[in-house]
Amino acid sequence: MQDLDTPPDSATTTNESTYNPNRSLQKEEEESVESLERTPTQVKELWKFRLRPSEDDEPQDWWFASTAIPLLAATTGPLANVMSIAALVTSWRSNYDPQYPGQDQYSVGFPDPRWCIALNASSLVCGFVGNIFLLFNFTKRIRYIVALPMTIILWYFATGILMGITISVNEYVPPIPPDQTYSQGFWHAVIASVLYLCSSMLLMINMLGYFLGHYPQHFELSDEQRNLILQTMMFFIWLAAGGGVFARVCGWDYADALYFADVTVLTVGFGDFVAPNDTGRGLIFPFSVGGIIILGLMVSSIRRFAQELGHDKVVKKHVESRRIRTLERSIQISHENERNHDLERGLSENGLQSISAPFNPRRQTIAFANPLPLPVQMMSPKSSRSFSLKSPLSPLRSPASTLSNMSERIKHMKPLSSPFKRSNRGPRKSKLLILREEKDRFDAMRGIQYSTRRFKRYSALTMSIIAFGLLWCVGAVVFWRIEQKTQSLSYFEALYFCYVSLLTIGYGDLAPKSNAGKPFFIVWSLIAVPTMTILISDMSDTVVASYKRGTFTLADWTVLPKKGFFRAFIEEHPWLMRTLQFLQHKSQQRAVEKRIAAGFATGPANDDEDPDNTSPPTLEALAQDALDEHALARKLALAIRRTSYDLKAVDHRRYTYEEWVDYTRLIRFTRSFPSNLEEEEEEEGIIEWDWIGENSPMLAEQSEAEWLLDRLCESLGRYMHRQLPQHAKERKRSRIEERFTYSRRES
């Protein structure tokens, strides 16, 4: 008891001197928050620009500018260097062969002016140095704010020089028709200037996003994306070096040798250029193998990047929008139910006869007007209590505004750690009713999962088909116009040529022969062939997978049925199961009548049950299941073994709601005493998360088996810790107190 003479301040000091871990933790959190508030921000405000540091914790947006644009620039930059090399070492004008007038493939080049060669070399140096600055920017050897402007400026210089000399050559020293024409070197220079210009403009968009504060001053790239950049540079180095070697060995111009190397690595093989000697044929072995390997690695990295980008920016946004729309419908219908309930209660209090009896909106379920892939019912007490709003229903709004307002509303809502906490109003619900209400939300989230899987597969396939169609049709238009003078191609023949090239068939009846067609084919094929490869890979997840399932189904019903197929088919169709049971019952009755007539005893032939025939639990069985600690511990060990087997399966296992309830009980029973578990389940619900909430296990990055295995192992650890002898716990507590006392004395 406190002494009356002791002043209040001293009493407060005495009480605070005792150790209170919660108070000390709260004090540390308050001090850390105050220190963060006192820390000045490192973001620099300059006019309308907002320059962020290299590392910060602020959110990032403009994902295309921050991630995709650097990768595009890293791809087009080395390609522009290769085209610029071909423009430097190849003459820009050529004379037609008198025996083949007007045929570009038989034209012979003649020297260019010295000023043209000098400016062309300076353009190549600017482009190459700009590419080095970009590489050092990716590896963080040079600061972003220094390296990126240097890359943009140098590539703009390269563009300006190439455009200037091409215009000057066309103005002052053009080829004189009909005996002269522009060679492949001239068109290589035109394509290189376009690539430099596009790369510079893309990087300017990236820098604008940094100036506006959408992301920090560095390229946010993963290891896979960095590997893609290195593989792209290695591929173009391999292609350019191969062109130089074949030009020297086979006696070709560098532009023709580069075209031959491209056709060889892409396995098109038109046959218009072949190695004329044994040295060239021998070099094809290592060059083709190395080029195909590097190309395969590059295409694989491109596909992984596209899948990663689609999963992070498209699929997750689709899941979130579906989930928020589901919550929005739950909130609106919950308000309508509450309004109707208040109206009927007011009519009853005024003595007016109501049309229907009053109902409890918390006991209602919602059937969607636009059903999900699985027939689900959405409304449950969890949504009506956790997401109740005090404001009346707002008028209809556009989907974009509804989604944004819903997102802001959910951010300020209470977390759904205990969504089924029972209110003091109303009677306590039975466990079976709670299970059925939770199952509605589980079915809703499972439906969102199924629709998302389908959306992910077919959205990637759709994008690949669109890219393939654009490259096919637009490329055919370009080849039709370029090759019309040399080969008199029709548009249909150009479509045929592009299709054969995309599939790398390469019959050889049609091939680019003009001086403008070969350089364009190099750029077009390096984009089109990997796109075709990605399309085939996306088809393997959709069309090819459907074909395989159809083939397996045909085999199961005809010549190669697998074990258990007919039994699983019968269990999936209850009417067929009832029919077979009825026929079996009739046959047993006839057998009994025969045994009675023969004088044998009647009775079941075998009362033993198959121990392996274990049916999944039902909601009624789970609601009546007795909760015993030792029985739950035994089930916990068996559950860990089952989930470990599911983890080894090729296809990720998706558990039913009844299995989730059973597993969740095994997770929860180690967090409290078994005597309180049944009461907690009745008050808070069986599941301790909201299935359509942000903490739903279906939104986790792990598979369901991995997630469950982690939680079950944590539960096993808590159970083993609970089984420690009491004296061991006392000894551990005494050691902690001794350490605390010693630290207090030292301080």
Side-chain angles (χ1 to χ4, degrees):
M1 184 174 179
Q2 181 181 348
D3 191 2
L4 296 176
D5 298 335
T6 306
D9 294 339
S10 62
T12 304
T13 306
T14 305
N15 291 333
E16 289 182 353
S17 63
T18 60
Y19 175 68
N20 191 340
N22 296 329
R23 184 176 301 174
S24 62
L25 289 174
Q26 184 178 3
K27 186 176 180 181
E28 291 179 0
E29 292 178 357
E30 293 176 355
E31 291 178 355
S32 62
V33 171
E34 292 177 359
S35 63
L36 288 176
E37 292 177 353
R38 291 194 301 267
T39 303
T41 178
Q42 297 181 1
V43 178
K44 297 180 181 180
E45 301 286 347
L46 183 62
W47 190 48
K48 295 183 179 181
F49 296 145
R50 185 170 177 269
L51 307 181
R52 292 169 56 175
S54 58
E55 298 290 343
D56 58 10
D57 297 330
E58 296 185 21
Q60 301 182 19
D61 50 5
W62 281 29
W63 58 268
F64 184 81
S66 63
T67 305
I69 283 181
L71 291 176
L72 289 175
T75 303
T76 56
L79 179 58
N81 292 151
V82 175
M83 305 301 284
S84 184
I85 292 173
L88 176 62
V89 300
T90 307
S91 60
W92 286 20
R93 299 165 299 170
S94 58
N95 295 314
Y96 284 121
D97 191 338
Q99 297 180 0
Y100 303 97
Q103 299 295 322
D104 291 349
Q105 66 269 29
Y106 299 109
S107 60
V108 180
F110 58 91
D112 296 323
R114 292 186 177 180
W115 57 268
C116 179
I117 298 174
L119 291 175
N120 201 350
S122 62
S123 173
L124 176 60
V125 171
C126 291
F128 187 73
V129 175
N131 210 2
I132 291 177
F133 271 103
L134 183 64
L135 179 61
F136 285 164
N137 195 357
F138 285 134
T139 57
K140 297 183 180 181
R141 300 293 183 183
I142 301 178
R143 292 178 56 195
Y144 172 91
I145 198 63
V146 175
L148 190 63
M150 290 298 299
T151 301
I152 295 174
I153 293 171
L154 289 171
W155 280 356
Y156 269 127
F157 278 161
T159 303
I161 293 171
L162 284 176
M163 293 179 65
I165 57 179
T166 51
I167 294 173
S168 299
V169 168
N170 187 61
E171 184 70 23
Y172 298 107
V173 284
I176 302 173
D179 297 330
Q180 295 180 351
T181 185
Y182 284 114
S183 67
Q184 296 184 48
F186 177 83
W187 297 109
H188 276 287
V190 172
I191 294 175
S193 64
V194 172
L195 292 175
Y196 282 135
L197 179 62
C198 294
S199 303
S200 303
M201 295 175 68
L202 288 174
L203 291 180
M204 285 188 68
I205 297 175
N206 178 272
M207 199 162 191
L208 177 63
Y210 162 68
F211 280 138
L212 296 179
H214 292 284
Y215 38 81
Q217 52 172 293
H218 65 85
F219 290 129
E220 192 65 31
L221 301 177
S222 63
D223 292 338
E224 288 292 336
Q225 296 165 3
R226 296 180 189 276
N227 288 336
L228 173 60
I229 294 171
L230 296 176
Q231 290 164 3
T232 303
M233 292 184 176
M234 187 183 302
F235 175 77
F236 286 118
I237 291 173
W238 186 268
L239 188 67
V245 172
F246 283 111
R248 182 64 179 271
V249 171
C250 300
W252 297 326
D253 291 338
Y254 182 78
D256 290 335
L258 185 64
Y259 165 77
F260 171 78
D262 175 73
V263 171
T264 302
V265 169
L266 296 180
T267 67
V268 179
F270 290 124
D272 50 350
F273 282 86
V274 294
N277 49 45
D278 292 340
T279 304
R281 298 187 186 100
L283 289 174
I284 288 177
F285 296 147
F287 175 76
S288 59
V289 171
I292 291 172
I293 291 175
I294 299 174
L295 180 64
L297 293 175
M298 187 176 67
V299 172
S300 177
S301 298
I302 291 174
R303 184 174 184 272
R304 283 198 298 268
F305 167 68
Q307 289 180 340
E308 179 183 349
L309 200 63
H311 177 73
D312 293 340
K313 307 302 179 183
V314 179
V315 177
K316 284 186 177 180
K317 186 178 293 185
H318 173 77
V319 174
E320 189 66 15
S321 63
R322 289 290 303 273
R323 189 179 66 85
I324 290 178
R325 284 201 302 268
T326 302
L327 291 174
E328 182 75 15
R329 290 197 295 267
S330 301
I331 292 172
Q332 291 178 355
I333 299 179
S334 174
H335 276 285
E336 291 177 0
N337 290 338
E338 290 178 0
R339 183 187 299 177
N340 294 336
H341 178 67
D342 294 339
L343 180 61
E344 291 187 2
R345 185 172 57 185
L347 293 175
S348 301
E349 291 176 356
N350 293 331
L352 299 177
Q353 185 177 4
S354 60
I355 296 176
S356 61
F359 63 95
N360 186 356
R362 295 185 300 168
R363 294 179 177 268
Q364 301 300 313
T365 56
I366 295 173
F368 284 109
N370 297 323
L372 295 170
L374 293 178
V376 296
Q377 291 179 332
M378 281 302 305
M379 192 57 201
S380 68
K382 191 178 301 185
S383 62
S384 62
R385 282 191 296 275
S386 301
F387 296 102
S388 60
L389 301 177
K390 296 183 180 179
S391 61
L393 268 177
S394 59
L396 292 177
R397 295 163 294 183
S398 63
S401 62
T402 302
L403 185 61
S404 60
N405 294 336
M406 184 65 192
S407 302
E408 293 296 329
R409 203 180 306 168
I410 290 176
K411 290 180 181 178
H412 297 89
M413 287 180 179
K414 187 177 180 180
L416 298 173
S417 58
S418 300
F420 259 80
K421 191 171 183 179
R422 189 174 64 89
S423 175
N424 293 329
R425 299 176 298 172
R428 175 179 293 181
K429 295 183 180 180
S430 65
K431 188 183 297 184
L432 180 60
L433 181 59
I434 293 176
L435 287 171
R436 287 175 177 173
E437 291 173 345
E438 286 180 343
K439 190 175 186 300
D440 294 338
R441 303 178 74 83
F442 174 83
D443 291 338
M445 194 63 201
R446 185 65 84 195
I448 293 175
Q449 271 192 329
Y450 287 140
S451 65
T452 301
R453 289 171 57 194
R454 188 178 183 86
F455 171 79
K456 180 180 178 180
R457 293 175 181 175
Y458 285 94
S459 62
L461 179 62
T462 302
M463 295 301 296
S464 299
I465 291 175
I466 292 174
F468 171 79
L470 288 175
L471 288 169
W472 183 22
C473 299
V474 175
V477 170
V478 176
F479 284 113
W480 171 47
R481 301 304 301 173
I482 290 176
E483 298 292 332
Q484 194 170 24
K485 179 182 177 181
T486 305
Q487 305 184 61
S488 300
L489 281 183
S490 63
Y491 183 68
F492 176 77
E493 290 176 334
L495 278 175
Y496 165 77
F497 164 72
C498 290
Y499 187 80
V500 170
S501 302
L502 278 169
L503 296 180
T504 67
I505 298 174
Y507 289 121
D509 52 345
L510 292 177
K513 296 180 180 179
S514 64
N515 289 335
K518 293 176 183 176
F520 178 77
F521 179 82
I522 294 174
V523 178
W524 177 82
S525 62
L526 290 175
I527 300 173
V529 173
T531 302
M532 183 64 194
T533 307
I534 294 174
L535 172 61
I536 295 174
S537 179
D538 290 334
M539 290 178 63
S540 65
D541 297 333
T542 52
V543 180
V544 178
S546 301
Y547 176 77
K548 289 173 63 178
R549 287 194 298 268
T551 304
F552 291 152
T553 303
L554 180 62
D556 289 335
W557 284 104
T558 53
V559 293
L560 294 174
K562 62 183 179 181
K563 182 179 179 181
F565 168 74
F566 293 105
R567 179 174 180 177
F569 178 79
I570 292 173
E571 291 177 352
E572 291 177 358
H573 298 79
W575 63 271
L576 187 58
M577 174 68 77
R578 290 192 295 268
T579 303
L580 293 177
Q581 289 176 351
F582 175 76
L583 295 176
Q584 185 180 9
H585 180 67
K586 287 295 185 182
S587 64
Q588 290 177 353
Q589 283 185 347
R590 288 193 295 268
V592 169
E593 293 174 357
K594 290 181 180 179
R595 286 197 297 269
I596 292 175
F600 291 99
T602 62
N606 187 10
D607 294 335
D608 297 334
E609 295 182 356
D610 187 4
D612 296 332
N613 186 15
T614 58
S615 58
T618 61
L619 294 181
E620 291 77 8
L622 291 170
Q624 300 175 1
D625 194 7
L627 302 177
D628 179 70
E629 181 176 5
H630 298 292
L632 290 174
R634 181 176 179 275
K635 291 180 65 176
L636 176 61
L638 296 176
I640 292 176
R641 185 175 65 177
R642 287 198 303 270
T643 52
S644 63
Y645 289 157
D646 296 337
L647 196 61
K648 299 177 182 178
V650 177
D651 298 329
H652 293 306
R653 172 77 184 278
R654 295 181 182 272
Y655 299 96
T656 62
Y657 173 74
E658 291 78 9
E659 291 173 327
W660 271 104
V661 171
D662 199 14
Y663 283 130
T664 308
R665 178 173 291 170
L666 300 177
I667 295 172
R668 290 186 60 177
F669 89 97
T670 57
R671 296 184 180 176
S672 60
F673 293 100
S675 58
N676 301 331
L677 180 58
E678 188 170 358
E679 183 178 357
E680 289 180 1
E681 289 183 352
E682 292 179 356
E683 292 184 356
E684 301 181 5
I686 308 299
I687 304 298
E688 55 183 0
W689 52 78
D690 188 7
W691 288 110
I692 57 176
E694 294 181 356
N695 58 346
S696 174
M698 297 185 186
L699 296 177
E701 296 292 338
Q702 299 173 304
S703 64
E704 294 185 10
E706 292 174 339
W707 193 92
L708 275 176
L709 187 60
D710 290 342
R711 303 291 89 75
L712 291 173
C713 291
E714 293 173 1
S715 179
L716 180 61
R718 291 192 297 270
Y719 178 78
M720 297 300 295
H721 181 71
R722 182 188 296 177
Q723 303 306 314
L724 289 175
Q726 188 65 25
H727 63 84
K729 295 181 180 179
E730 294 293 338
R731 191 184 309 115
K732 184 177 181 180
R733 186 181 298 110
S734 63
R735 285 200 301 267
I736 295 175
E737 291 177 355
E738 289 177 359
R739 292 177 182 175
F740 175 73
T741 305
Y742 179 76
S743 61
R744 289 287 302 273
R745 290 175 181 176
E746 291 292 332
S747 60

